[in-house]
């Protein structure tokens, strides 16, 4: 285990610096919705490009404080801000001790709909829950053991979506999101859950509450409704779904499988946003689209394929617009960062859009294939270390396979939103909710 004394001791921010971090970094992030994005707030954030001044501010703070962690002046709390990639690497490698992913903020938020989820579990409960999660989701395998039925489900839903988009002449977020949730319910729970929008609507209501964390009372009756509905789908253990893998794994009550599945559904929402943004990027970057289509040559849309380049496209879309803009850690003991219970903040847009990076503001999927991303420990689209997202490979498979089906015989052009083009810096904030794409043949 690494020493807890390896870190440079933090410098103390001034009151003015702390206020600027609160106003320019924390408040816009919270306003957009950390657990469930708020469309109106995202529209405003996109219009005002909130992430750009936040990145500029943190760059100035890094220069002023020599890249050392920054102790923020938060009354009654011990809060630190990471400002270097080296510290990001150490913090994420140090999970679950001394840098636990289960923070007071996460526990308050996620307990609204998954009180026993692995991400907010204590050390004793975390081990079996993480083991169960990895056994079902199979991180480290580009193709899940159920990749074949998943690919067929994705092909089916993409065909329905394309039919609707062809009729309308365009694709918008609302239509894409409906199709995305249909395929997610099929992948996770089976075809019997395909039309159960009520299930995911209940989860959405709970997640909107979770945005307020401890400021909103928990609606236990609503959570019970969601859990009962979810448990019924899991009880079917439909072949070709994750529910069947869960049944085969034989999880005991302590693992709380429904809570782990609730988290997977929550994470798939962010995956849908990333997939739609990737589609918009490919629609506006002809060279990347040509390479993606070359990657598709000789593949069957209903068969599982690794699609390395499309996966890299998804990764770079998440780099450009992180679906988890703030990674939190909480110290379990006294470290050089501060006393036990210190909250450490990693603002991912700063590290992903660091102006010192030559590719900061452009779409560059190649960096995920040529080794450059691996050399930068602060590029963490799915977090990193022992608490890295266990569903990362399944998400990339679903996203890339969806894109493959949409792009194989169709082209898209941007119909609304900020200009996405290879010859100009990409926007720091992208509102996917109001982004529309024209659908064209071939």
């Amino acid at each position: 285990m690494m020493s807890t004394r390896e870190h440079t001791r933090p410098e103390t921010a001034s009151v003015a610096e702390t206020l600027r971090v609160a106003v320019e970094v924390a408040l816009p992030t919270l306003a957009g919705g950390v657990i469930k994005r708020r469309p109106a707030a995202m529209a405003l954030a996109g219009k005002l490009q909130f992430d750009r001044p936040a990145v500029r501010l943190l760059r100035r703070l890094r220069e002023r404080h020599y890249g050392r962690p920054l102790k923020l002046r938060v009354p009654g709390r011990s809060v630190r801000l990471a400002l270097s990639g080296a510290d990001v690497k150490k913090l994420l490698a140090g999970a679950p001790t001394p840098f636990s992913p289960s923070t007071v903020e996460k526990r308050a938020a996620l307990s609204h709909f998954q009180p026993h989820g692995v991400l907010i579990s204590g050390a004793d409960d975390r081990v079996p829950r993480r083991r169960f999660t990895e056994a079902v989701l199979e991180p480290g395998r580009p193709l899940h053991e159920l990749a074949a039925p998943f690919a067929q489900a994705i092909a089916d839903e993409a065909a329905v979506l394309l039919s609707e988009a062809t009729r309308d002449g365009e694709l918008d977020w609302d239509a894409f999101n409906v199709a995305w949730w249909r395929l997610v319910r099929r992948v996770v729970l089976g075809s019997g859950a395909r039309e159960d929008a009520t299930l995911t609507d209940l989860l959405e209501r709970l997640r909107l509450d979770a945005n307020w964390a401890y400021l909103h009372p928990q609606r236990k009756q609503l959570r019970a409704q969601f859990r009962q509905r979810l448990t019924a789908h899991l009880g079917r253990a439909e072949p070709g779904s994750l529910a069947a893998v869960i049944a085969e794994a034989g999880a005991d009550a302590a693992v709380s499988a429904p809570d782990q599945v609730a988290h997977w559904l929550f994470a798939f929402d962010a995956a849908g946003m990333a997939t739609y943004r990737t589609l918009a990027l490919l629609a506006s970057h002809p060279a990347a689209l040509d390479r993606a289509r070359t990657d598709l040559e000789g593949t069957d849309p209903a068969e599982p394929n690794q699609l390395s380049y499309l996966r890299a496209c998804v990764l770079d879309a998440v780099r450009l617009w992180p679906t988890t803009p703030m990674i939190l850690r909480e110290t379990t003991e006294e470290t050089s960062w501060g006393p036990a219970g210190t909250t450490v903040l990693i603002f991912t847009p700063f590290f992903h859009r660091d102006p010192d990076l030559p590719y900061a503001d452009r779409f560059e999927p190649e960096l995920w294939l040529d080794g450059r991303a691996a050399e930068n420990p602060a590029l963490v689209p799915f977090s990193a270390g022992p608490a890295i997202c266990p569903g990362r490979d399944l998400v990339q498979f679903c996203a890339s396979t969806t894109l493959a089906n949409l792009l194989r015989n169709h082209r898209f052009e941007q119909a609304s939103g900020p200009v996405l083009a290879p010859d100009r810096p990409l926007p720091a904030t992208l509102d996917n909710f109001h982004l529309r794409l024209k659908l064209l043949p071939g």
Side-chain angles (χ1 to χ4, degrees), residues 83-427:
L83 292 173
S84 77
D87 279 337
V88 170
K89 181 178 180 179
K90 292 175 183 177
L91 286 164
L92 298 182
T97 57
F99 303 111
S100 173
S102 177
T103 69
V104 63
E105 294 84 6
K106 284 185 196 171
R107 292 191 294 272
L110 297 181
S111 60
H112 279 270
F113 61 95
Q114 47 150 319
H116 306 294
V118 64
L119 198 60
I120 55 173
S121 295
D124 292 340
D125 291 327
R126 185 181 190 280
V127 173
R129 291 171 182 171
R130 177 77 188 196
R131 186 186 304 122
F132 162 80
T133 296
E134 292 185 348
V136 176
L137 299 183
E138 301 181 1
R141 289 185 60 178
L143 298 179
H144 192 278
E145 64 176 285
L146 294 178
F150 292 169
Q152 183 61 62
I154 293 168
D156 293 344
E157 299 305 334
V160 173
L161 178 60
L162 284 169
S163 176
E164 295 170 348
T166 300
R167 180 195 64 212
D168 298 335
E170 69 175 27
L171 177 63
D172 63 17
W173 167 254
D174 289 340
F176 178 86
N177 194 42
V178 168
W180 179 257
W181 277 116
R182 283 197 300 252
L183 77 85
V184 167
R185 290 191 294 267
R186 287 182 66 175
V187 164
V188 177
L189 302 170
S191 297
R194 179 184 187 269
E195 301 298 332
D196 191 2
T198 300
L199 174 76
T200 37
D201 287 347
L202 287 169
L203 179 58
E204 179 176 331
R205 290 167 63 189
L206 291 167
R207 289 172 55 205
L208 287 169
D209 291 349
N211 279 340
W212 296 96
Y214 31 67
L215 298 179
H216 195 292
Q218 292 194 11
R219 292 195 277 181
K220 295 183 179 180
Q221 186 174 3
L222 188 65
R223 188 171 72 209
Q225 284 181 261
F226 166 71
R227 186 183 178 93
Q228 182 180 24
R229 208 172 187 98
L230 176 60
T231 302
H233 286 303
L234 291 173
R236 291 198 328 273
E238 187 175 318
S241 72
L242 292 181
V245 184
I246 292 171
E248 186 178 343
D252 59 31
V255 166
S256 188
D259 277 30
Q260 313 319 319
V261 176
H263 186 80
W264 305 345
L265 292 172
F266 156 49
F268 263 117
D269 189 17
M273 294 169 58
T275 305
Y276 191 63
R277 287 167 170 166
T278 307
L279 182 61
L281 285 166
L282 289 168
S284 56
H285 289 71
L289 178 60
D290 288 345
R291 180 165 177 183
R293 284 186 150 179
T294 299
D295 204 27
L296 297 178
E297 291 178 359
T299 63
D300 186 326
E303 292 293 327
N305 296 281
Q306 292 199 28
L307 303 172
S308 299
Y309 187 72
L310 277 174
R311 290 184 184 222
C313 290
V314 174
L315 285 170
D316 213 44
V318 181
R319 174 188 68 83
L320 288 163
W321 302 293
T323 51
T324 304
M326 193 76 78
I327 298 177
L328 305 181
R329 290 293 183 263
E330 185 175 290
T331 58
T332 58
E333 60 191 64
E334 183 179 357
T335 71
S336 60
W337 289 77
T342 294
T343 297
V344 183
L345 312 178
I346 300 171
F347 186 61
T348 51
F350 167 57
F351 295 102
H352 290 191
R353 292 293 196 102
D354 187 339
D356 290 343
L357 297 174
Y359 48 79
D361 291 327
R362 67 173 186 250
F363 182 43
E364 192 149 348
E366 290 78 10
L367 70 92
W368 300 96
L369 301 172
D370 60 18
R372 283 177 292 163
E375 293 171 355
N376 186 342
L379 298 185
V380 287
F382 288 95
S383 190
I388 189 172
C389 173
R392 61 194 181 278
D393 290 293
L394 180 57
V395 160
Q396 290 178 73
F397 170 78
C398 291
S400 61
T401 305
T402 298
L403 291 166
N405 279 273
L406 295 178
L407 293 169
R408 193 175 300 274
N409 298 309
H410 296 81
R411 290 186 302 110
F412 294 85
E413 289 182 358
Q414 191 176 350
S416 71
V419 175
L420 307 178
D423 58 351
R424 60 188 297 173
L426 291 169

Side-chain angles (χ1 to χ4, degrees), residues 27 86 115 210:
L27 284 180

